[in-house]
Amino acid sequence: MSKLSPARKLSLDVLMEADRRGMYARDVLSSRASAKAIDQRDSAFAARLALGVAATQGILDELLDQFLDKPKKVAPRVRMALRISVFEMLYLHTPGRVAVSQGVELVRCGAKSAAGLANAVLHKVADNVEDFATASDVDEPERRLVRLSRLMGLPRWLCARIMASFDTPEGALNFAGNLAPAPLALHENAFATKPDPYISQLVTPVFPGCHAPVDAQVTVASGLFERAAAVASDLNAQLIATAATRPGRCLEIGAGRGTKTYVMMCQAKRAGYERQHTALDLHDRKCDLNLARLHKAGIQGVRTVSGDACELDEVLTSFDAMLGEPVKFDTVFIDAPCSGTGTMRRHPEIPWRLTENDVTTELPKLQLAMLKEAAVRVAAGGELIYATCSVFDEENTQVVDAFLASPEGAGFTMAPLSGAQILQLPDFEQAKKLVSVRQNDRGLFQSVPVNADSYDGHFCARLVRQSS
């Protein structure tokens, strides 16, 4: 028997906890003290395994099930342990003898009686992993799609949709790959009363407040985020939040735990804007987390409200009562619920929780309803900003066009995101350039992660309401 590595044991524990609690593996990893207690290299390897297995679980099961007599009878912990070993062989190219030996020990540590099964199955996987990777077991007409699906660790329907949507050469399909870690960017606190020691060591920001890329392990270990001296936010997400920052009243819909709230408040301070910010989310807990982080950072003046963004009259009842009429906002920023296909590297479970119907029907229906509801709350001359982290047209351009063609959208016109007021300020010239290169000829912002060094896929449309 070989000694089981602590990284593999930790990855199994993380995956089982994520599965049991319905959480993302990344969130479990960040909250686990045991991940910080072991050697840094082991911790990094455990994260690589846990996130990789979460990203490719459907493909791993497809290979495993070829050699299991009764796939549905395998205990969840045993299956998860087997997945880890198969992931190593298929995607990390760990030598078969090592992956099999460690896989058997991983199964044994939780189910001694299943060690023999693990040994037999994993040896068969090792003998067949190369043929599986090249899809030599699949008929020729389907082979290219299946091979790419297995290479990227994605469901076939999603892989096919990506290929059809972007007509992308095989080598460029990395943009959909959730196997490589995404680069880390952060946004520094503009309200800090003294320089943060970690931020002081960084080079000049890419644009005001934005540092990218930064070393993930060093940054997290610095305690920067616990101090609320910065938030982790993808560079493209920061560009959108910056462009959405305007003077006056702002209603942020889909604020979540408040990363974009933080960015917008900081950019407003840098720009010298007077504003009132209301952050709306469906869940009370996220509103509480948002406020707690803002207050820790010394950011005041944000109001939070929870409720359904498709029922704004109900959600904003108290605001309307204070004014004696329905409150209107100079900016309504919708960070819409979406497929998240631009952020799969950060949330690798997405491909296996998503369905094609979500992308083509259910999410666009909800997104359009949110746009129509929000439009009523935009003041004359105000802006309606619509953003997603999807790379699919159905959730992006098609939703915007459907809104503009609707009665609710009749008073709005599309305007280039690079024309946003804040981007015309001299200090934000570089941000404007970065937005401009991500715009199409209609002024719509779309980024796509084309390689491991790229930032996430985000979409944004800027819609301006006529003044009268």
Side-chain angles (χ1 to χ4, degrees):
M1 292 192 298
S2 62
K3 185 179 179 181
L4 178 61
S5 79
R8 292 178 175 90
K9 175 63 165 59
L10 175 59
S11 69
L12 176 59
D13 291 342
V14 165
L15 285 162
M16 290 305 298
E17 183 177 346
D19 191 57
R20 183 177 67 255
R21 298 174 61 187
M23 294 176 63
Y24 287 125
R26 185 180 299 279
D27 293 338
V28 175
L29 271 167
S30 64
S31 66
R32 267 192 163 247
S34 54
K36 300 164 187 170
I38 64 175
D39 177 85
Q40 194 173 56
R41 286 183 301 176
D42 282 337
S43 180
F45 186 44
R48 184 78 179 89
L49 293 175
L51 298 177
V53 170
T56 60
Q57 58 184 287
I59 302 298
L60 303 177
D61 285 344
E62 184 183 351
L63 177 52
L64 265 174
D65 289 352
Q66 293 181 15
F67 307 110
L68 288 167
D69 292 334
K70 298 178 180 179
K72 294 182 179 179
K73 299 284 188 180
V74 177
R77 190 173 180 87
V78 171
R79 177 175 285 278
M80 196 68 81
L82 293 173
R83 284 174 179 165
I84 292 170
S85 186
V86 175
F87 174 79
E88 286 198 64
M89 287 187 271
L90 185 58
Y91 293 105
L92 301 186
H93 309 294
T94 302
R97 58 182 178 76
V98 176
V100 171
S101 174
Q102 286 291 298
V104 170
E105 293 310 308
L106 197 54
V107 169
R108 192 194 306 276
C109 77
K112 291 183 179 179
S113 61
L117 168 72
N119 187 58
V121 169
L122 291 177
H123 270 105
K124 290 177 182 176
V125 169
D127 291 339
N128 291 273
V129 68
E130 197 168 316
D131 287 343
F132 180 83
T134 57
S136 59
D137 59 327
V138 177
D139 292 339
E140 182 61 37
E142 292 290 313
R143 187 168 297 164
R144 179 172 179 265
L145 173 60
V146 173
R147 183 172 63 80
L148 287 172
S149 168
R150 292 173 178 176
L151 173 69
M152 304 312 302
L154 296 173
R156 289 180 200 175
W157 74 263
L158 184 54
C159 194
R161 179 165 284 278
I162 289 167
M163 292 166 65
S165 296
F166 297 96
D167 193 25
T168 312
E170 293 181 12
L173 266 175
N174 283 332
F175 88 89
N178 42 353
L179 303 183
L184 179 65
L186 61 83
H187 194 89
E188 68 174 286
N189 184 9
F191 292 80
T193 55
K194 59 182 179 180
D196 185 85
Y198 176 74
I199 292 178
S200 298
Q201 300 173 31
L202 300 177
V203 298
T204 304
V206 179
F207 58 88
C210 177
H211 293 273
V214 294
D215 184 288
Q217 284 194 332
V218 173
T219 302
V220 172
S222 75
L224 182 77
F225 301 132
E226 286 81 357
R227 297 191 296 274
V231 290
S233 178
D234 178 76
L235 182 144
N236 290 319
Q238 290 189 50
L239 286 173
I240 289 171
T242 299
T245 303
R246 302 176 69 236
R249 289 179 181 153
C250 173
L251 173 63
E252 179 191 4
I253 295 175
R257 290 178 287 186
T259 298
K260 288 190 176 75
T261 313
Y262 185 110
V263 174
M264 285 190 280
M265 291 301 291
C266 288
Q267 298 297 48
K269 180 173 177 60
R270 293 185 180 101
Y273 289 162
E274 291 290 332
R275 65 202 302 273
Q276 299 171 355
H277 192 106
T278 302
L280 164 65
D281 193 82
L282 182 61
H283 304 288
D284 287 328
R285 174 161 171 74
K286 288 184 178 178
C287 290
D288 293 341
L289 290 170
N290 187 356
L291 270 185
R293 179 163 61 179
L294 292 172
H295 291 166
K296 191 170 186 178
I299 302 172
Q300 303 294 330
V302 174
R303 297 179 296 185
T304 61
V305 60
S306 61
D308 187 346
C310 291
E311 300 289 344
L312 287 181
D313 284 349
E314 181 178 331
V315 173
L316 299 175
T317 297
S318 61
F319 295 82
D320 295 343
M322 283 190 290
L323 282 181
E325 61 182 1
V327 61
K328 302 279 186 174
F329 297 88
D330 300 289
T331 307
V332 177
F333 174 48
I334 303 176
D335 198 2
C338 67
S339 64
T341 43
T343 61
M344 292 189 291
R345 294 172 299 173
R346 301 185 194 281
H347 305 297
E349 293 87 347
I350 284 174
W352 302 100
R353 294 180 181 180
L354 198 62
T355 70
E356 190 163 13
N357 189 55
D358 291 332
V359 171
T360 60
T361 306
E362 296 303 321
L363 285 167
K365 180 180 177 183
L366 173 61
Q367 291 153 354
L368 180 57
M370 291 175 70
L371 264 172
K372 289 179 176 180
E373 183 74 4
V376 180
R377 294 289 178 157
V378 180
E383 295 187 2
L384 177 58
I385 312 289
Y386 172 75
T388 76
C389 52
S390 171
V391 297
F392 289 131
D393 233 20
E394 290 92 336
E395 299 177 83
N396 297 336
T397 306
Q398 290 182 28
V399 170
V400 172
D401 286 343
F403 168 72
L404 290 172
S406 71
E408 295 84 353
F412 289 84
T413 56
M414 192 182 296
L417 190 64
S418 60
Q421 180 176 340
I422 194 171
L423 298 183
Q424 313 317 309
L425 299 177
D427 287 349
F428 289 85
E429 182 181 357
Q430 183 58 27
K432 181 177 181 178
K433 289 179 181 177
L434 292 172
V435 168
S436 297
V437 298
R438 291 160 171 78
Q439 273 181 178
N440 64 15
D441 55 4
R442 297 180 68 193
L444 296 168
F445 180 106
Q446 177 73 72
S447 59
V448 178
V450 293
N451 56 51
D453 296 325
S454 298
Y455 292 93
D456 291 348
H458 288 271
F459 171 85
C460 188
R462 175 173 166 250
L463 307 169
V464 179
R465 183 164 216 150
Q466 295 170 8
S467 297
S468 58

